[in-house]
Amino acid sequence: MSPRDDEGRGGIRRGVLRRFRLPLRTDRQTNDDAHAELRAFLDERIAALVARGMSTADARQEAQRRLGYSFHEAALVLQHSARTRERRLTVREFLDDLRLDVRYALRTLRRDRAFTLFALLVSGLGIGACVTVFSIANRVLIRPLPFRDPGELAWIANSGSGGLSGETVQAFTLRDLRDGSRAFREIGGYVPFYDVDNTAYTAKDESARLTVIQVTQNFFPVLGVSPMLGRSFTPDEATGTGAPAVMVSYLTWQRRFAADSGIIGTSVILNEQPVTVVGVLPPTFDFGAVFAPGTRIDMFEPIPVDEQVNRYGNMFTMIGRLAPGATVAAASKEVEAIAKRIDEEDSRRNDFTPQVTTLKEHVSGRSRQALVILLVSVAVVMLIVCANLSNLLLARGSAREREVAVRVALGAGRGRLMRQMLTESMVLALGGALIGLLLAVIGTRAIAGMSAFDLPMLSQVSIDGTALAFTTALALLAGLAFGLAPALQLQSVAIQGALKTTGRGVAGDRRGGWIRSTLVVAEVALACVLLVAAGLLAQSFRNVLDVDLGFRPQRVAAIRVDPARERRQSAERFVSYINEVLERSRTMPGVEGVGLSDGLPLRGNRSWGAKKQGDADIPENWPNVFVRIVSEGYIGAMGMRLERGRDFVAADDPKSEKVIIINESLAKRLWPGTEALGQLLVTDTVRRVVGIVHDVRLLAVDQESGFEMYLPFRQTGDFGAVNLVVRSTLPPESLTEALRATLKPVIPNLPTKQFQTLETIVDHSVSPRRFTTMLSSGFALFAVVLALLGIYGVVSYTVNQRTQEIGVRMALGAKPGGLQLRIVRQTVALAAVGIAIGTLSAWGASQWLEGVLFGVRSTDPVTFAVVALLLTVVAVVSGYLPARRVSRIDPLDALRSAT
């Protein structure tokens, strides 16, 4: 190389780097070699410059100048270059090795198609179950609510008693909090006292019933929800001085109005009144999914926060958006102070005992324990899957010991062999992840489409980026978990022994027997825990279904009906409407009972204060009583039990004495030890008790009934929409058509599609328990199947290795039955260890289920005994099948196959 070729700083530097091509070495070796190479390079440059006539000192200085670095800096550059090259070579070699390992794993797995298919199926089912449950928990518990800055939103509740009436506040309480709070930037609310299909919608070619929610004017701005089309409500519309207005949900806009963007500003007929559509909400906002799971909400209308609404009593639930820097704790203290001031300044105001939590906690809190139970259950299932696959790989690895020994003898490193085995398990896990992901997509879509389950945001469950990342991580962890033990077992293969072994002895090494037995014990123990949990939940769910509801929902259906506008203008016209609806309905064939009610059990509630006449007139001391306004015949149509007294009759009209029917709990509360019939009760007015009914579960199937009272429609002046309840021997489809034809003169456009059975309402009430029980039972069943396969696999493998021994025993006169009994006894002994460990673990873990159990103790001995018996039967079956097969082998064949 001519000195001229690398004149200048850049040339010298490039020349050094071109020459510096060290082999892969340690850091210290790289450092030493870099210094040596740099010295040789500089010496060569100095010699070239001296040959051109320079002195040695000048040549050294010029070479250093042309290098552009100090000697130490140049050495560092060379070291960095060497390390970069080493890293590139290492990564390239790793990728090449990985590619070869994957190709070899695929070839190996392809040769053993039965094993591969089973492993992919089992791992796919396990991963699919995990991803599905994770996606549900992620949407409900982890991901933020679908609002702007959801962490700023708080739920402001009244912690009083009496159902929704005790949880809500008056209009002026909302107003005072909104105006007086500094911790909240804004406070809004909605009215939770609504019935499904509470509004009649009329168009040219159709009529239907829609569910409309009343909200404050600032409700959507508080949530940070902006209309997709149009605008939110104006103050004039909220106070009633403007034209009536509604906002439409996205799904209703699509389904009912064909996604017509020109709907803004047009009028729709609701309850025979024109109402202007001012906005369409975005698809990301689903009121029902967040606040009323399982309920379709169609429209929203503004409600004023004024004196008239305040007189109605507790009506509003409140949601607040925290001010910058404010916390829930600080806001809670401030709201408590405001509530205390309100109570001091206005003694007539209803009690307000505030409880402030995050909106996320309110929405997701009630489902947290159930979802955590499912997450733990599916994690246990995944552990059983890993144990099962690890056992299979151990058995498969024992059969490959000769192959491994040959590869080691030919120079393959044990680390490389271990990596090869782990690569096979990773390939299986990733293949299972693809199957599991497909199953999870199907599962989440099916669950999201189920409106029967009362879980928040269930309709928004899907496979998102987080679920994909979780799937990948789970697959890698699972591959490592069930591949590690087989890989470590191959590390201990004795080369000479494996090479000398021939025939059946290749697979006859029993060194991994204790590992396989341990894994089976773990499978049985984990399956035992799952079965106990599922058994307790199933027993609890059965107890819920066996609860005395206080009414008989079988063969009872209900539909919301509206009196025509002119019928609501006076009590006389409304009474006439009631008479005609009841009389026509009673004449239908197959009808056993008909009644009207302003509400249905398990569907919303309200409470009034009540006291017996003569008690002190102190409203706060009055018990809160759930109230229903009903017609004569309602009690019989519902299948309620009238314990004493009589039902309402048509003569209970505005001109007759005011009457009331109460439940047994209220009768005992107000008149303990005394007959309540004929007594006077004070509520909206003074009424005489004419009947006492058995308690009805109004709030939830698994909650106590509380106090109840029933008022006759004809005496209350309530002229709104009502629920027509019909008990009939006809199937629902026939009943709806017959009812439509019968009531056509009274209700020309009866939307019978909204006809709902009471059994459906009851099912919806218990749906969270059904959801948890259904999934946990499915996981437990899957765990039992895996445990059976795991025991069967280990016993089959062990029996195969003992074929020669069994042949000798049979040749010496051993009976097949005795051999079978011996093998089954050993199998049961193995399972018994797992059952014992699992029972103790389940005994401790079951205490955690106390909060979700109903009518059953977490230590229920029957459940534990049944689970132990079931797993014992599983062990007997899984041990008997291979024992029966091997006991039928001819002794000579067994001895010959072992030589």
Side-chain angles (χ1 to χ4, degrees):
M1 177 185 296
S2 169
R4 220 174 261 176
D5 293 338
D6 45 19
E7 286 291 332
R9 178 175 176 175
I12 290 288
R13 195 183 323 159
R14 286 190 297 272
V16 175
L17 296 180
R18 279 196 302 268
R19 291 184 52 173
F20 191 61
R21 293 289 185 267
L22 299 176
L24 299 180
R25 298 172 181 270
T26 63
D27 288 345
R28 184 170 181 178
Q29 289 173 325
T30 302
N31 183 55
D32 294 342
D33 289 341
H35 282 76
E37 183 68 21
L38 185 59
R39 289 192 188 93
F41 184 84
L42 285 176
D43 289 344
E44 182 181 335
R45 298 301 97 191
I46 291 169
L49 292 173
V50 169
R52 294 171 61 181
M54 284 184 146
S55 65
T56 303
D58 291 341
R60 186 180 300 281
Q61 184 177 3
E62 178 63 18
Q64 186 69 47
R65 183 186 67 79
R66 292 184 179 184
L67 181 62
Y69 296 99
S70 66
F71 184 87
H72 179 67
E73 290 174 339
L76 290 178
V77 171
L78 295 179
Q79 292 174 39
H80 175 73
S81 175
R83 291 194 183 102
T84 300
R85 175 174 172 268
E86 289 177 7
R87 283 195 296 269
R88 289 174 179 172
L89 290 174
T90 302
V91 170
R92 187 181 300 115
E93 289 179 353
F94 172 78
L95 293 177
D96 288 341
D97 290 345
L98 180 61
R99 178 177 56 82
L100 293 175
D101 288 345
V102 170
R103 290 178 60 184
Y104 181 79
L106 291 175
R107 287 198 305 270
T108 303
L109 295 174
R110 188 167 56 246
R111 287 197 301 267
D112 198 350
R113 289 187 175 88
F115 163 80
T116 303
L117 183 61
F118 177 80
L120 289 176
L121 182 60
V122 170
S123 60
L125 288 172
I127 292 174
C130 283
V131 175
T132 300
V133 174
F134 172 80
S135 297
I136 297 172
N138 180 44
R139 175 61 274 185
V140 178
L141 301 180
I142 303 174
R143 287 178 57 189
L145 295 174
F147 306 125
R148 175 174 56 83
D149 298 326
E152 297 178 357
L153 295 175
W155 181 263
I156 310 169
N158 188 357
S159 56
S161 60
L164 286 177
S165 295
E167 298 169 3
T168 50
V169 298
Q170 290 177 272
F172 281 178
T173 301
L174 187 154
R175 179 202 63 186
D176 293 343
L177 282 179
R178 183 187 61 195
D179 297 341
S181 175
R182 294 186 178 182
F184 288 102
R185 188 185 314 172
E186 189 63 84
I187 296 176
Y190 69 93
V191 178
F193 298 94
Y194 62 88
D195 286 311
V196 176
D197 303 324
N198 57 8
T199 303
Y201 165 75
T202 307
K204 293 180 180 179
D205 54 348
E206 67 172 326
S207 62
R209 299 204 62 84
L210 306 180
T211 303
V212 180
I213 300 291
Q214 293 178 310
V215 299
T216 58
Q217 182 263 333
N218 64 341
F219 178 72
F220 296 111
V222 168
L223 293 178
V225 175
S226 299
M228 183 186 71
L229 297 175
R231 57 173 174 80
S232 292
F233 299 121
T234 64
D236 289 343
E237 292 165 345
T239 57
T241 57
V246 293
M247 297 180 69
V248 182
S249 72
Y250 179 81
L251 290 178
T252 301
W253 174 65
Q254 283 193 319
R255 185 184 65 254
R256 187 70 59 188
F257 302 105
D260 180 13
S261 59
I263 192 177
I264 303 301
T266 62
S267 292
V268 295
I269 305 301
L270 300 178
N271 290 336
E272 303 182 30
Q273 294 284 341
V275 181
T276 303
V277 176
V278 299
V280 175
L281 292 162
T284 54
F285 176 73
D286 188 342
F287 181 95
V290 179
F291 299 105
T295 305
R296 185 200 72 247
I297 306 301
D298 299 295
M299 294 183 181
F300 301 85
E301 63 181 5
I303 182 172
V305 183
D306 59 14
E307 176 65 33
Q308 180 178 355
V309 175
N310 188 67
R311 286 198 298 267
Y312 294 154
N314 290 359
M315 286 191 61
F316 289 94
T317 59
M318 296 184 293
I319 299 171
R321 181 170 290 276
L322 294 169
T327 62
V328 170
S332 180
K333 292 181 179 178
E334 183 191 62
V335 172
E336 289 175 2
I338 294 175
K340 184 177 180 181
R341 186 177 71 245
I342 291 173
D343 184 60
E344 294 173 350
E345 294 176 353
D346 187 357
S347 59
R348 297 173 300 174
R349 192 80 62 85
N350 291 346
D351 289 342
F352 176 42
T353 306
Q355 183 178 12
V356 182
T357 59
T358 64
L359 183 59
K360 177 70 173 178
E361 175 63 27
H362 168 75
V363 172
S364 305
R366 58 182 175 173
S367 305
R368 177 171 288 108
Q369 188 170 11
L371 288 177
V372 171
I373 289 173
L374 292 180
L375 283 172
V376 172
S377 299
V378 81
V380 172
V381 167
M382 198 63 214
L383 289 175
I384 297 175
V385 167
C386 290
N388 202 290
L389 292 179
S390 184
N391 241 332
L392 289 174
L393 288 173
L394 281 169
R396 187 168 177 267
S398 296
R400 297 174 62 186
E401 286 185 359
R402 184 176 178 81
E403 170 198 342
V404 172
V406 170
R407 294 182 66 183
V408 171
L410 293 176
R414 292 184 181 269
R416 176 62 188 275
L417 291 175
M418 183 176 178
R419 189 176 68 186
Q420 174 64 57
M421 299 305 166
L422 287 176
T423 301
E424 290 185 15
S425 65
M426 289 295 180
V427 169
L428 286 174
L430 290 174
L434 293 177
I435 297 174
L437 190 60
L438 177 61
L439 295 176
V441 169
I442 297 172
T444 52
R445 287 183 178 177
I447 290 173
M450 294 179 180
S451 60
F453 293 120
D454 184 11
L455 287 176
M457 293 173 291
L458 199 63
S459 61
Q460 300 178 358
V461 171
S462 63
I463 301 297
D464 56 9
T466 305
L468 291 176
F470 175 80
T471 305
T472 304
L474 181 62
L476 295 176
L477 287 175
L480 182 63
F482 65 72
L484 190 58
L488 291 175
Q489 183 195 25
L490 291 179
Q491 284 281 73
S492 60
V493 172
I495 301 176
Q496 292 183 355
L499 291 175
K500 290 179 181 178
T501 306
T502 58
R504 182 174 292 275
V506 173
D509 195 355
R510 300 179 182 178
R511 287 189 304 273
W514 70 271
I515 301 179
R516 291 188 290 274
S517 298
T518 301
L519 289 173
V520 166
V521 169
E523 285 188 62
V524 174
L526 291 172
C528 182
V529 173
L530 271 185
L531 279 172
V532 168
L536 292 173
L537 291 173
Q539 178 73 9
S540 178
F541 183 62
R542 190 184 68 179
N543 291 340
V544 169
L545 295 181
D546 290 341
V547 161
D548 182 6
L549 299 173
F551 63 93
R552 291 180 289 112
Q554 297 80 10
R555 299 188 294 107
V556 180
I559 189 171
R560 192 81 169 171
V561 296
D562 288 295
R565 184 178 179 185
E566 62 272 10
R567 300 272 196 168
R568 298 196 297 263
Q569 294 176 350
S570 68
E572 292 77 11
R573 293 183 178 182
F574 184 71
V575 168
S576 174
Y577 170 79
I578 286 178
N579 289 337
E580 195 167 0
V581 169
L582 292 176
E583 289 173 3
R584 287 182 174 275
S585 300
R586 291 188 187 113
T587 62
M588 292 172 50
V591 170
E592 298 177 341
V594 175
L596 298 172
S597 173
D598 66 333
L600 298 172
L602 310 176
R603 275 288 178 89
N605 60 81
R606 58 176 173 173
S607 60
W608 293 356
K611 72 181 185 72
K612 67 180 180 180
Q613 192 177 45
D615 282 354
D617 193 15
I618 305 175
E620 54 266 29
N621 293 337
W622 296 9
N624 285 313
V625 185
F626 296 115
V627 59
R628 288 282 188 265
I629 302 175
V630 302
S631 73
E632 67 275 11
Y634 171 78
I635 291 176
M638 288 291 296
M640 297 166 57
R641 298 203 301 272
L642 186 63
E643 301 290 350
R644 299 187 298 281
R646 66 171 177 86
D647 192 1
F648 295 133
V649 295
D652 294 322
D653 57 25
K655 298 178 181 179
S656 64
E657 181 185 28
K658 299 294 189 294
V659 295
I660 193 171
I661 295 175
I662 63 176
N663 72 337
E664 289 182 301
S665 293
L666 183 58
K668 293 176 182 178
R669 167 68 171 79
L670 296 180
W671 292 281
T674 305
E675 178 55 65
L677 279 177
Q679 301 288 350
L680 294 178
L681 183 144
V682 181
T683 176
D684 61 327
T685 185
V686 179
R687 295 179 178 274
R688 187 172 300 280
V689 178
V690 297
I692 297 175
V693 296
H694 188 70
D695 292 354
V696 172
R697 305 245 171 174
L698 293 177
L699 293 176
V701 175
D702 54 0
Q703 291 187 29
E704 293 299 328
S705 303
F707 305 131
E708 307 159 27
M709 59 185 177
Y710 300 85
L711 281 59
F713 261 118
R714 304 170 192 274
Q715 294 183 344
T716 60
D718 190 335
F719 309 147
V722 294
N723 293 286
L724 176 63
V725 179
V726 181
R727 177 174 291 277
S728 172
T729 58
L730 299 175
E733 299 78 12
S734 302
L735 178 61
T736 55
E737 293 304 320
L739 190 66
R740 185 184 184 96
T742 301
L743 296 181
K744 189 172 183 178
V746 187
I747 312 172
N749 298 310
L750 182 65
T752 51
K753 290 183 179 180
Q754 277 78 23
F755 220 108
Q756 54 185 335
T757 65
L758 260 65
E759 287 181 303
T760 301
I761 296 176
V762 174
D763 288 344
H764 187 268
S765 177
V766 300
S767 61
R769 286 186 179 274
R770 176 181 287 107
F771 182 79
T772 306
T773 303
M774 181 180 69
L775 289 186
S776 62
S777 299
F779 296 152
L781 179 61
F782 186 35
V784 170
V785 173
L786 290 177
L788 188 150
L789 292 174
I791 297 174
Y792 176 82
V794 167
V795 174
S796 295
Y797 178 81
T798 303
V799 167
N800 287 338
Q801 309 318 307
R802 297 174 58 191
T803 301
Q804 182 179 9
E805 172 194 343
I806 293 173
V808 171
R809 289 177 178 273
M810 294 178 67
L812 294 176
K815 301 296 183 182
L819 291 173
Q820 293 174 8
L821 181 62
R822 182 185 181 91
I823 294 171
V824 170
R825 190 164 55 241
Q826 293 173 348
T827 304
V828 172
L830 188 67
V833 177
I835 293 173
I837 296 174
T839 300
L840 292 176
S841 302
W843 189 277
S846 63
Q847 311 298 319
W848 186 54
L849 297 176
E850 286 285 358
V852 296
L853 297 180
F854 181 83
V856 61
R857 293 179 301 165
S858 62
T859 55
D860 179 47
V862 175
T863 302
F864 280 82
V866 169
V867 168
L869 179 62
L870 175 62
L871 288 176
T872 302
V873 171
V874 167
V876 170
V877 171
S878 57
Y880 173 73
L881 293 176
R884 182 171 180 269
R885 185 183 67 248
V886 77
S887 65
R888 292 184 172 184
I889 297 177
D890 184 89
L892 294 178
D893 292 338
L895 294 173
R896 192 179 300 113
S897 64
T899 60

